[in-house]
Amino acid sequence: MSITVSNISKSYKNVKALQNISFEVKPGELFGLIGPDGAGKTTLFRVLTTLLVANEGSATVAGFDVVEEYKNIRNSVGYMPGKFSLYQDLTVEENLNFFATIFGTTIEENYDLIKDIYVQIEPFKDRRAGKLSGGMKQKLALCCALIHKPKVLFLDEPTTGVDPVSRKEFWEMLKRLQQKDITILVSTPYMDEAALCDRIALIQDGKILEIDTPKAIVKHYPKQIYNVRATNMYQLIYSLKKYEHNHSVYPFGEVVHYTDSRTDFNPKDLKLYLESNDLNNVEIEKTVATIEDTFMELAK
Amino acid sequence: MNNNKVIQVEGLTKMFGDFTAVNAITFEVEKGEIFGFLGANGAGKTTAMKMLIGISKPTSGEANVAGFDVFTHAEDIKKNIGYMSQKFALYDDLTVKENITFFGGIYGLSRKIIKEKSDVLIAELGLEKVANQLVGSLPLGWKQKLSFSVSLLHDPKIVFLDEPTGGVDPITRRQFWEMIYKASNQGTTVFVTTHYMDEAEYCDRVSIMVNGKIEALDTPKKLKKQFNAATMNDVFLKLARG
């Protein structure tokens, strides 16, 4: 296993940041930690990258214990923190050189690994890191995390605040890195990115809600979900929440995802109810669960 | 001005030296509409919004917001709009009540009205137990809901939301959108800038900026049809990648 986490707990004063977390990541796997701000994702990254000691439990990374063998881990992993942590006053090239030197290597030695990414920022190699755009900073940070050819790569919310085009490019880069035998643990608050991972752990309030492949997780959703539309969204949500048989009512863009508490639910009854509440153009159709539906059902 | 058009923009342009950040954009937003203002990093969203809220003077073009001209009546615009951003929302070292009082004062409301509004708002959000706690100690989702309510304190005609729901858990996000629908239903126009395409799906109409220009503007449904895409994310990728 590239990463093993066994019964890890960590508290800050009276905040339980991690509560009895256990999971494993296989070599070469792209594993996603999916959860909102405050779920405990960053605390877990800090424990695994040996920057923080857990209160309970044990963990290994690349075969090394996070407490006993922390120095070996630091040589074997790359870590891209959520907050941009490179030297703003150094240029692109100076930053990269700095990180290579610290790890006793050179840019040339592992250039192959970062080439795809580095060529995109190379035209700006004399620019100070602090003056780069968000997308370029992210690419430089990834290069710096990779320059010593780590076995395991930790990426804490690499796509937060990044536009959809850069996000897509970033995930394409991760897929290519994975083919170079690097194990990747990545966290994100965006449920739509979950589908791009091999396996995911859904995490909230320091607890893991579920671990599985993205496909299996949506398959486990216990109910039939219906898309409900009507002309007035506000009235629609209000009426659905008032409906005595509702199990869940969640707006999803231009539709509402509705589940019913009864086993013999007939959408026609719901349509009649909504129409009797002065809603127009009511449409109800079956739909399939998304990761977000599953997350909300588990977090309820 | 047509009373139903609370934002009217024509040929609005902003240049910084030789660089055209916003290039002759034209659009209108109606009363009570939820309008999504999208674009990639650096597309010109923030510059455009700064002109609309009266804190940046356009180079050329015309814009009327909440009944006031951005060139001549920028101060009146500021009094008639609400603003909420994820980056700056409330003061962490003031309590819930103190924040409400502070912003109510900024918007020029009387003590009596602030007191009334404060009680209603705290009850609606279920914040009675934490009303005297520092905002910094509240979960992010609560802060955002509070921040949105505070931006509506002075009953603005339009509220501008700058990337409002990033990072929040999915249930809280939906409660947030339900608040937006409620405000819109009561006639408040909601102008949302975001680069999260799933937020775009909630809007009545959406505009997408690419390199300073508005390249698409319609309902999410029609945009998806126009670009033959399943989601707004796909629409965006097709537009921005060309």
Short mmCIF file of all heavy atoms in Angstrom, two decimals, chain A residues 123-161:
data_model
loop_
_atom_site.label_atom_id
_atom_site.label_comp_id
_atom_site.label_asym_id
_atom_site.label_seq_id
_atom_site.Cartn_x
_atom_site.Cartn_y
_atom_site.Cartn_z
N PRO A 123 7.80 30.19 -20.70
CA PRO A 123 7.93 31.54 -21.25
C PRO A 123 8.02 32.62 -20.18
O PRO A 123 8.47 33.73 -20.43
CB PRO A 123 6.67 31.72 -22.10
CG PRO A 123 6.22 30.34 -22.42
CD PRO A 123 6.64 29.48 -21.28
N PHE A 124 7.56 32.28 -18.96
CA PHE A 124 7.55 33.27 -17.87
C PHE A 124 8.58 32.92 -16.80
O PHE A 124 8.44 33.31 -15.65
CB PHE A 124 6.15 33.32 -17.23
CG PHE A 124 5.06 33.42 -18.23
CD1 PHE A 124 4.35 32.28 -18.64
CD2 PHE A 124 4.73 34.64 -18.80
CE1 PHE A 124 3.35 32.37 -19.58
CE2 PHE A 124 3.72 34.73 -19.75
CZ PHE A 124 3.03 33.59 -20.14
N LYS A 125 9.63 32.17 -17.18
CA LYS A 125 10.53 31.64 -16.14
C LYS A 125 11.30 32.73 -15.40
O LYS A 125 11.78 32.51 -14.30
CB LYS A 125 11.49 30.61 -16.75
CG LYS A 125 12.47 31.19 -17.74
CD LYS A 125 13.37 30.10 -18.29
CE LYS A 125 14.34 30.79 -19.24
NZ LYS A 125 15.31 29.95 -19.82
N ASP A 126 11.38 33.94 -15.96
CA ASP A 126 12.07 35.03 -15.27
C ASP A 126 11.12 35.93 -14.49
O ASP A 126 11.52 36.94 -13.93
CB ASP A 126 12.86 35.87 -16.27
CG ASP A 126 13.97 35.04 -16.90
OD1 ASP A 126 14.56 34.21 -16.17
OD2 ASP A 126 14.22 35.20 -18.12
N ARG A 127 9.84 35.55 -14.49
CA ARG A 127 8.86 36.35 -13.75
C ARG A 127 8.82 35.90 -12.29
O ARG A 127 8.93 34.72 -12.00
CB ARG A 127 7.48 36.19 -14.38
CG ARG A 127 6.48 37.20 -13.86
CD ARG A 127 5.13 37.05 -14.51
NE ARG A 127 5.11 37.48 -15.91
CZ ARG A 127 3.99 37.56 -16.63
NH1 ARG A 127 2.83 37.25 -16.09
NH2 ARG A 127 4.04 37.94 -17.89
N ARG A 128 8.65 36.86 -11.37
CA ARG A 128 8.52 36.48 -9.97
C ARG A 128 7.23 35.70 -9.74
O ARG A 128 6.19 36.05 -10.31
CB ARG A 128 8.50 37.73 -9.09
CG ARG A 128 9.86 38.35 -8.99
CD ARG A 128 9.84 39.50 -8.05
NE ARG A 128 11.12 40.20 -8.12
CZ ARG A 128 11.52 41.08 -7.23
NH1 ARG A 128 10.74 41.39 -6.22
NH2 ARG A 128 12.68 41.66 -7.35
N ALA A 129 7.30 34.70 -8.88
CA ALA A 129 6.15 33.82 -8.64
C ALA A 129 4.92 34.61 -8.19
O ALA A 129 3.80 34.30 -8.56
CB ALA A 129 6.50 32.75 -7.63
N GLY A 130 5.16 35.67 -7.38
CA GLY A 130 4.05 36.47 -6.88
C GLY A 130 3.29 37.19 -7.97
O GLY A 130 2.16 37.63 -7.78
N LYS A 131 3.89 37.33 -9.15
CA LYS A 131 3.26 38.07 -10.25
C LYS A 131 2.55 37.15 -11.25
O LYS A 131 2.08 37.61 -12.30
CB LYS A 131 4.31 38.89 -11.02
CG LYS A 131 5.02 39.93 -10.18
CD LYS A 131 4.21 41.21 -10.10
CE LYS A 131 4.93 42.26 -9.27
NZ LYS A 131 3.98 43.21 -8.68
N LEU A 132 2.50 35.86 -10.95
CA LEU A 132 1.86 34.93 -11.89
C LEU A 132 0.34 34.92 -11.70
O LEU A 132 -0.16 35.25 -10.63
CB LEU A 132 2.38 33.51 -11.65
CG LEU A 132 3.86 33.24 -11.91
CD1 LEU A 132 4.21 31.82 -11.50
CD2 LEU A 132 4.20 33.46 -13.38
N SER A 133 -0.39 34.50 -12.75
CA SER A 133 -1.84 34.32 -12.62
C SER A 133 -2.10 33.05 -11.79
O SER A 133 -1.20 32.23 -11.59
CB SER A 133 -2.47 34.16 -14.00
OG SER A 133 -2.13 32.90 -14.53
N GLY A 134 -3.35 32.89 -11.37
CA GLY A 134 -3.71 31.75 -10.53
C GLY A 134 -3.36 30.41 -11.17
O GLY A 134 -2.79 29.53 -10.55
N GLY A 135 -3.72 30.28 -12.45
CA GLY A 135 -3.47 29.02 -13.16
C GLY A 135 -1.98 28.72 -13.28
O GLY A 135 -1.55 27.57 -13.16
N MET A 136 -1.17 29.77 -13.49
CA MET A 136 0.28 29.57 -13.64
C MET A 136 0.93 29.24 -12.29
O MET A 136 1.83 28.41 -12.22
CB MET A 136 0.93 30.79 -14.28
CG MET A 136 0.61 30.89 -15.76
SD MET A 136 1.75 31.98 -16.64
CE MET A 136 1.13 33.57 -16.19
N LYS A 137 0.45 29.89 -11.23
CA LYS A 137 0.97 29.58 -9.89
C LYS A 137 0.76 28.11 -9.57
O LYS A 137 1.64 27.43 -9.04
CB LYS A 137 0.21 30.40 -8.82
CG LYS A 137 0.73 31.80 -8.64
CD LYS A 137 -0.02 32.50 -7.52
CE LYS A 137 0.47 33.92 -7.38
NZ LYS A 137 -0.39 34.75 -6.53
N GLN A 138 -0.44 27.64 -9.93
CA GLN A 138 -0.80 26.27 -9.65
C GLN A 138 0.12 25.30 -10.40
O GLN A 138 0.58 24.30 -9.86
CB GLN A 138 -2.26 26.12 -10.07
CG GLN A 138 -2.87 24.78 -9.95
CD GLN A 138 -3.98 24.65 -10.96
OE1 GLN A 138 -3.86 25.10 -12.10
NE2 GLN A 138 -5.07 24.04 -10.55
N LYS A 139 0.46 25.65 -11.64
CA LYS A 139 1.33 24.79 -12.43
C LYS A 139 2.76 24.80 -11.87
O LYS A 139 3.42 23.76 -11.81
CB LYS A 139 1.34 25.24 -13.90
CG LYS A 139 0.07 24.78 -14.60
CD LYS A 139 -0.06 25.33 -16.01
CE LYS A 139 -1.43 24.94 -16.56
NZ LYS A 139 -1.96 25.93 -17.47
N LEU A 140 3.21 25.98 -11.44
CA LEU A 140 4.55 26.06 -10.86
C LEU A 140 4.62 25.26 -9.56
O LEU A 140 5.58 24.52 -9.32
CB LEU A 140 4.93 27.53 -10.59
CG LEU A 140 6.27 27.74 -9.87
CD1 LEU A 140 7.42 27.16 -10.69
CD2 LEU A 140 6.51 29.22 -9.59
N ALA A 141 3.57 25.39 -8.73
CA ALA A 141 3.55 24.66 -7.46
C ALA A 141 3.60 23.15 -7.71
O ALA A 141 4.29 22.41 -7.00
CB ALA A 141 2.30 25.02 -6.66
N LEU A 142 2.90 22.72 -8.75
CA LEU A 142 2.91 21.29 -9.07
C LEU A 142 4.31 20.85 -9.53
O LEU A 142 4.80 19.81 -9.12
CB LEU A 142 1.85 20.98 -10.14
CG LEU A 142 1.68 19.52 -10.52
CD1 LEU A 142 1.29 18.67 -9.31
CD2 LEU A 142 0.63 19.34 -11.62
N CYS A 143 4.96 21.67 -10.34
CA CYS A 143 6.33 21.36 -10.78
C CYS A 143 7.27 21.23 -9.58
O CYS A 143 8.07 20.31 -9.49
CB CYS A 143 6.87 22.44 -11.71
SG CYS A 143 6.16 22.40 -13.34
N CYS A 144 7.15 22.17 -8.64
CA CYS A 144 8.02 22.16 -7.46
C CYS A 144 7.76 20.92 -6.60
O CYS A 144 8.68 20.39 -5.99
CB CYS A 144 7.84 23.43 -6.63
SG CYS A 144 8.47 24.90 -7.46
N ALA A 145 6.50 20.48 -6.56
CA ALA A 145 6.17 19.31 -5.75
C ALA A 145 6.66 18.02 -6.43
O ALA A 145 6.74 16.97 -5.79
CB ALA A 145 4.66 19.25 -5.52
N LEU A 146 6.95 18.11 -7.72
CA LEU A 146 7.32 16.90 -8.48
C LEU A 146 8.81 16.78 -8.76
O LEU A 146 9.27 15.73 -9.21
CB LEU A 146 6.61 16.93 -9.85
CG LEU A 146 5.14 16.57 -9.89
CD1 LEU A 146 4.58 16.89 -11.27
CD2 LEU A 146 4.94 15.10 -9.57
N ILE A 147 9.56 17.85 -8.50
CA ILE A 147 10.92 17.94 -9.04
C ILE A 147 11.85 16.87 -8.48
O ILE A 147 12.84 16.52 -9.12
CB ILE A 147 11.48 19.38 -8.85
CG1 ILE A 147 12.72 19.59 -9.72
CG2 ILE A 147 11.77 19.70 -7.40
CD1 ILE A 147 12.46 19.47 -11.20
N HIS A 148 11.54 16.29 -7.32
CA HIS A 148 12.40 15.24 -6.77
C HIS A 148 11.82 13.85 -7.03
O HIS A 148 12.18 12.89 -6.39
CB HIS A 148 12.61 15.46 -5.28
CG HIS A 148 11.33 15.48 -4.49
ND1 HIS A 148 10.34 16.41 -4.72
CD2 HIS A 148 10.87 14.70 -3.50
CE1 HIS A 148 9.32 16.17 -3.89
NE2 HIS A 148 9.62 15.14 -3.15
N LYS A 149 10.92 13.75 -8.00
CA LYS A 149 10.33 12.48 -8.41
C LYS A 149 9.75 11.72 -7.20
O LYS A 149 10.22 10.63 -6.84
CB LYS A 149 11.38 11.61 -9.11
CG LYS A 149 10.79 10.57 -10.04
CD LYS A 149 11.88 10.00 -10.95
CE LYS A 149 11.31 9.28 -12.14
NZ LYS A 149 10.81 7.97 -11.91
N PRO A 150 8.73 12.28 -6.57
CA PRO A 150 8.17 11.64 -5.38
C PRO A 150 7.40 10.36 -5.73
O PRO A 150 6.93 10.21 -6.85
CB PRO A 150 7.20 12.70 -4.84
CG PRO A 150 6.79 13.48 -6.05
CD PRO A 150 7.99 13.50 -6.95
N LYS A 151 7.29 9.48 -4.74
CA LYS A 151 6.49 8.26 -4.94
C LYS A 151 5.01 8.57 -4.74
O LYS A 151 4.14 7.98 -5.35
CB LYS A 151 6.92 7.18 -3.93
CG LYS A 151 8.33 6.66 -4.14
CD LYS A 151 8.53 5.40 -3.32
CE LYS A 151 9.94 4.88 -3.44
NZ LYS A 151 10.87 5.63 -2.54
N VAL A 152 4.76 9.48 -3.79
CA VAL A 152 3.37 9.82 -3.47
C VAL A 152 3.23 11.35 -3.56
O VAL A 152 4.07 12.09 -3.06
CB VAL A 152 2.99 9.36 -2.05
CG1 VAL A 152 1.52 9.64 -1.77
CG2 VAL A 152 3.29 7.88 -1.86
N LEU A 153 2.16 11.77 -4.21
CA LEU A 153 1.93 13.19 -4.38
C LEU A 153 0.66 13.60 -3.61
O LEU A 153 -0.40 12.98 -3.78
CB LEU A 153 1.75 13.48 -5.88
CG LEU A 153 1.61 14.92 -6.34
CD1 LEU A 153 2.84 15.74 -5.97
CD2 LEU A 153 1.40 14.95 -7.86
N PHE A 154 0.79 14.61 -2.75
CA PHE A 154 -0.35 15.12 -1.97
C PHE A 154 -0.77 16.48 -2.53
O PHE A 154 0.04 17.41 -2.55
CB PHE A 154 0.04 15.29 -0.50
CG PHE A 154 0.29 14.00 0.21
CD1 PHE A 154 1.58 13.48 0.28
CD2 PHE A 154 -0.74 13.32 0.81
CE1 PHE A 154 1.81 12.28 0.95
CE2 PHE A 154 -0.51 12.12 1.47
CZ PHE A 154 0.77 11.59 1.54
N LEU A 155 -2.01 16.57 -2.95
CA LEU A 155 -2.50 17.82 -3.53
C LEU A 155 -3.72 18.28 -2.73
O LEU A 155 -4.79 17.67 -2.81
CB LEU A 155 -2.88 17.61 -4.99
CG LEU A 155 -1.79 17.01 -5.89
CD1 LEU A 155 -2.37 16.61 -7.24
CD2 LEU A 155 -0.66 18.01 -6.07
N ASP A 156 -3.55 19.35 -1.97
CA ASP A 156 -4.65 19.83 -1.12
C ASP A 156 -5.42 20.93 -1.86
O ASP A 156 -4.92 22.05 -2.01
CB ASP A 156 -4.07 20.34 0.19
CG ASP A 156 -5.16 20.57 1.25
OD1 ASP A 156 -6.34 20.23 0.96
OD2 ASP A 156 -4.84 21.06 2.34
N GLU A 157 -6.61 20.60 -2.29
CA GLU A 157 -7.47 21.53 -3.03
C GLU A 157 -6.74 22.28 -4.15
O GLU A 157 -6.74 23.52 -4.18
CB GLU A 157 -8.12 22.53 -2.08
CG GLU A 157 -9.01 21.86 -1.06
CD GLU A 157 -10.11 22.77 -0.54
OE1 GLU A 157 -10.33 23.85 -1.12
OE2 GLU A 157 -10.76 22.38 0.44
N PRO A 158 -6.14 21.54 -5.08
CA PRO A 158 -5.37 22.23 -6.13
C PRO A 158 -6.23 23.06 -7.07
O PRO A 158 -5.72 23.97 -7.71
CB PRO A 158 -4.71 21.07 -6.88
CG PRO A 158 -5.59 19.89 -6.63
CD PRO A 158 -6.12 20.08 -5.24
N THR A 159 -7.53 22.78 -7.14
CA THR A 159 -8.34 23.47 -8.14
C THR A 159 -9.28 24.52 -7.55
O THR A 159 -10.09 25.09 -8.26
CB THR A 159 -9.19 22.47 -8.96
OG1 THR A 159 -9.96 21.70 -8.05
CG2 THR A 159 -8.31 21.56 -9.78
N THR A 160 -9.16 24.77 -6.25
CA THR A 160 -10.03 25.78 -5.64
C THR A 160 -9.70 27.17 -6.20
O THR A 160 -8.53 27.55 -6.25
CB THR A 160 -9.87 25.74 -4.11
OG1 THR A 160 -10.39 24.51 -3.64
CG2 THR A 160 -10.63 26.88 -3.44
N GLY A 161 -10.72 27.87 -6.65
CA GLY A 161 -10.51 29.22 -7.17
C GLY A 161 -9.98 29.25 -8.59
O GLY A 161 -9.58 30.30 -9.08
#
